[in-house]
Amino acid sequence: MFKHILVPTDGSILSLRAAKHAVRLAQVHGARITAFYAAPEYHAKIAGDYLPANFVPPAVFEKQIQKTADKYLGQIRKLAAVAQVACAGVYASNDSPYQAIIKAAKTGKCDLIFMASHGRRGIAGLLVGSETAKVLTHCTTPVLVYR
């Protein structure tokens, strides 16, 4: 039924649990997986000649992002390798993770997005927002939500 599953991760334990189930689903359907991490964009906070003490140069920021992406995507690659499921890992920088997830699904021609939901409700859900809810609202690709 499904042949290409996008598995977004934020590095959380819940995302890793969802990835385990996504790998099982892919194994049953003979599908492949693309693990995906939406990294924050670089924003230099420089005002005129003032350089803050916590300034991070773009090259250093990119190395940090690459290291984080490798770690998170590597976790899913390992799960897929054990299950003998084909898995690629991709990351993109975007301050709106839901937009990056939707774009990755379209670009990769994925037929399912399998993602976790932290299940925030009430005030926390309203204030923090839910990337999963935004993906569900704005995406035409089917989404399977793991909680």
Side-chain angles (χ1 to χ4, degrees):
M1 183 171 179
F2 298 111
K3 295 298 173 199
H4 189 189
I5 303 170
L6 184 74
V7 183
T9 183
D10 62 3
S12 68
I13 291 172
L14 186 59
S15 285
L16 190 56
R17 277 193 222 137
K20 288 177 186 177
H21 289 280
V23 167
R24 286 188 204 143
L25 182 68
Q27 191 177 35
V28 168
H29 287 279
R32 63 190 169 103
I33 285 179
T34 296
F36 181 75
Y37 172 62
E41 292 181 5
Y42 179 78
H43 297 284
K45 294 181 178 157
I46 300 171
D49 291 339
Y50 174 71
L51 192 62
N54 64 349
F55 174 75
V56 176
V60 172
F61 178 81
E62 184 56 38
K63 283 182 185 178
Q64 291 171 338
I65 292 298
Q66 182 69 54
K67 183 178 177 180
T68 301
D70 289 345
K71 177 182 174 186
Y72 295 165
L73 300 175
Q75 293 170 334
I76 298 173
R77 283 189 191 113
K78 286 178 188 174
L79 293 171
V82 169
Q84 297 180 330
V85 170
C87 180
V90 178
Y91 80 95
S93 293
N94 193 321
D95 285 335
S96 296
Y98 83 94
Q99 290 176 342
I101 292 166
I102 293 169
K103 184 176 179 180
K106 285 182 183 179
T107 302
K109 297 180 182 171
C110 298
D111 51 13
L112 178 69
I113 300 171
F114 192 119
M115 65 189 299
S117 173
H118 291 280
R120 292 183 186 100
R121 295 186 177 160
I123 298 295
L126 186 63
L127 294 176
V128 175
S130 168
E131 296 305 317
T132 303
K134 291 174 189 173
V135 170
L136 285 165
T137 303
H138 298 289
C139 189
T140 57
T141 303
V143 180
L144 194 154
V145 179
Y146 175 83
R147 264 189 39 175

